[in-house]
Amino acid sequence: MKKKQTVFSGVQPTGVLHIGNYLGAIRQFVDLQYTNESVFCVVDHHAITVPQVPEEFHENTLKVAMLYIACGIDPKESIVFIQSHSTEHTELAWILNTMTPLGELERMTQFKEKTEGRTKKEGVLAGILNYPTLMAADILLYQTDIVPVGEDQVQHIEFTRMLAEKFNSRYGRTFSVPEAYVQRDTARIMGLDDASKKMSKSAPSSNNYIGLLDSPNEIRQKIAAAATDSGKEVQYNKIKKPAISNLIEIYSAFAESPHSEIEKIYKDKNYYEFKNDLAELLIKKLAPIQEKYKELTKNKKQVLEILYGGSRKSRIISQTTLSQVKEKMGYVI
Ligand code: AQP
């Protein structure tokens, strides 16, 4: 079957992936790969926009790659590779940087959040400002049509579209103009310890998230400790009951059952019973991912071969795009 469109996305190796990364992004990668040309990248250059401990960074990069595969990304269907293995990404990022208005970067919500409360003198590093341009390069190199992401990344896709259109209008059509692909119900899974902020792998407390590799006991303990709202009814209402609604969203996504069904099941039950069942559901659904991951850790050589092979395939596409870009701009190539 001819695959329809080109899908590209990436995840940063800034920690162990959590169920928000899975529901907001990786599950979509898996579904889309069968009908679309798919390219999935471990975006290691993005991770170093915040300081990394070298040993942890190295390990986390391989962990993300192994979790991609453990979650169901099939290297026979998709190109899987590590961003820094394809130097075209940083080269195109530089070129795009020269066309990016500073104001566009400064107004990015993530830039504002990540530098909140810090003055320029206190050392806001340039990478945290510039990384949307690198993300644009990642996407545009593959003539991407669709970018599956969580809601927090939508602004960056809009920014990528702006750069693609700007380049195309200045030099003639060179890039496909991509669109964000957001799964409405799981676009923003909130933190377990604070339902007003998104679940995040670099959250100060690990009680904020369920990691894809958390043990059954960790899952039980974290769900038991998860914030709830006043009252005891298991009802979906994002305004009045944000914390319970977040847990219902997680339950609903893993059980593949609508919120209303869950409300019905727990109509005469309390938070305690609901949380117990949610923990057991997560343990059951994460078990096959954890098993596959464990197998992969025993064969890191095979994982590296997949990644090197992915990089070779990715470069066939990215080198073509980069050559076109440079030729149109007048570089001597
Ligand atoms: N809470 C979330 N709900 C739904 N989707 C989410 N994503 C992240 N958090 C949630 C999506 O996961 C993909 C990979 O994210 P990323 O690692 O590249 O960066 P991020 O968005 O900054 O994710 P984190 O977990 O919050 O990492 P840190 O803490 O390092 O910043 C993206 O598609 C993202 O939208």
Side-chain angles (χ1 to χ4, degrees):
M1 184 180 58
K2 187 166 174 348
K3 294 194 173 184
K4 284 186 265 172
Q5 291 182 296
T6 299
V7 172
F8 175 92
S9 199
V11 174
Q12 318 181 61
T14 37
V16 179
L17 302 192
H18 52 70
I19 55 172
N21 299 131
Y22 177 70
L23 296 174
I26 299 172
R27 197 157 81 161
Q28 276 65 261
F29 302 177
V30 175
D31 291 345
L32 289 164
Q33 69 181 339
Y34 299 105
T35 45
N36 300 283
E37 298 295 346
S38 302
V39 184
F40 301 118
C41 186
V42 183
V43 287
D44 53 350
H45 280 316
H46 287 276
I48 62 161
T49 54
V50 290
Q52 298 292 331
V53 177
E55 295 77 22
E56 284 174 14
F57 175 49
H58 184 97
E59 199 183 312
N60 284 336
T61 303
L62 292 173
K63 258 189 192 167
V64 172
M66 289 190 281
L67 276 171
Y68 270 176
I69 300 168
C71 287
I73 294 176
D74 179 351
K76 292 196 192 84
E77 296 286 344
S78 304
I79 298 176
V80 185
F81 71 106
I82 296 176
Q83 181 189 32
S84 61
H85 291 180
S86 300
T87 51
E88 291 72 22
H89 289 243
T90 41
E91 197 173 345
L92 181 60
W94 171 253
I95 292 173
L96 294 177
N97 249 323
T98 65
M99 311 180 174
T100 304
L102 195 54
E104 291 283 345
L105 291 169
E106 283 174 341
R107 73 179 186 84
M108 291 289 131
T109 309
Q110 290 219 347
F111 172 69
K112 287 187 196 153
E113 280 173 7
K114 289 184 175 170
T115 57
E116 202 179 13
R118 290 201 272 164
T119 66
K120 286 197 173 88
K121 281 190 195 127
E122 283 168 330
V124 172
L125 303 175
I128 206 85
L129 176 72
N130 276 336
Y131 80 92
T133 318
L134 177 59
M135 184 167 162
D138 299 338
I139 296 167
L140 298 178
L141 279 171
Y142 299 94
Q143 303 298 349
T144 302
D145 302 300
I146 302 171
V147 192
V149 281
E151 199 179 65
D152 61 314
Q153 296 297 334
V154 170
Q155 194 184 28
H156 293 152
I157 312 302
E158 288 304 319
F159 172 84
T160 302
R161 289 170 61 85
M162 176 279 290
L163 279 178
E165 278 161 359
K166 193 169 185 174
F167 192 98
N168 287 349
S169 77
R170 195 178 293 173
Y171 296 106
R173 196 192 171 286
T174 312
F175 297 122
S176 294
V177 181
E179 274 183 32
Y181 178 91
V182 179
Q183 208 64 357
R184 198 172 56 91
D185 277 353
T186 53
R188 197 174 179 82
I189 301 295
M190 308 310 277
L192 298 181
D193 55 351
D194 178 358
S196 69
K197 295 203 176 89
K198 88 172 178 97
M199 186 175 282
S200 199
K201 46 180 135 59
S202 52
S205 160
S206 65
N207 274 343
N208 169 273
Y209 56 81
I210 301 286
L212 295 184
L213 298 176
D214 280 354
S215 69
N217 276 345
E218 280 171 315
I219 295 175
R220 287 189 190 106
Q221 174 264 313
K222 287 182 184 183
I223 294 292
T228 47
D229 310 288
S230 53
K232 60 180 175 56
E233 309 78 22
V234 179
Q235 269 169 5
Y236 189 80
N237 183 329
K238 284 189 100 162
I239 312 274
K240 291 192 180 139
K241 284 180 165 263
I244 271 298
S245 298
N246 186 44
L247 296 182
I248 293 177
E249 274 178 17
I250 295 170
Y251 192 123
S252 155
F254 278 101
E256 296 184 50
S257 170
H259 304 157
S260 55
E261 267 315 299
I262 294 153
E263 285 178 326
K264 247 191 248 163
I265 298 170
Y266 292 95
K267 190 169 176 297
D268 300 314
K269 298 184 180 171
N270 57 29
Y271 290 164
Y272 177 77
E273 290 161 295
F274 169 67
K275 279 179 153 188
N276 274 348
D277 290 354
L278 173 59
E280 296 314 311
L281 174 68
L282 290 171
I283 292 166
K284 187 170 141 215
K285 294 288 180 175
L286 296 182
I289 295 175
Q290 296 181 352
E291 235 163 80
K292 179 88 204 256
Y293 175 84
K294 210 165 139 199
E295 262 172 51
L296 290 164
T297 57
K298 291 183 198 145
N299 206 344
K300 282 204 178 151
K301 200 166 155 242
Q302 185 201 351
V303 174
L304 281 172
E305 273 163 21
I306 291 172
L307 296 171
Y308 295 146
S311 160
R312 281 193 294 275
K313 286 190 228 161
S314 77
R315 296 191 84 177
I316 296 171
I317 311 168
S318 59
Q319 283 173 347
T320 306
T321 306
L322 187 60
S323 294
Q324 284 167 1
V325 166
K326 290 168 83 175
E327 199 179 338
K328 289 190 178 182
M329 292 178 75
Y331 274 89
V332 176
I333 53 170

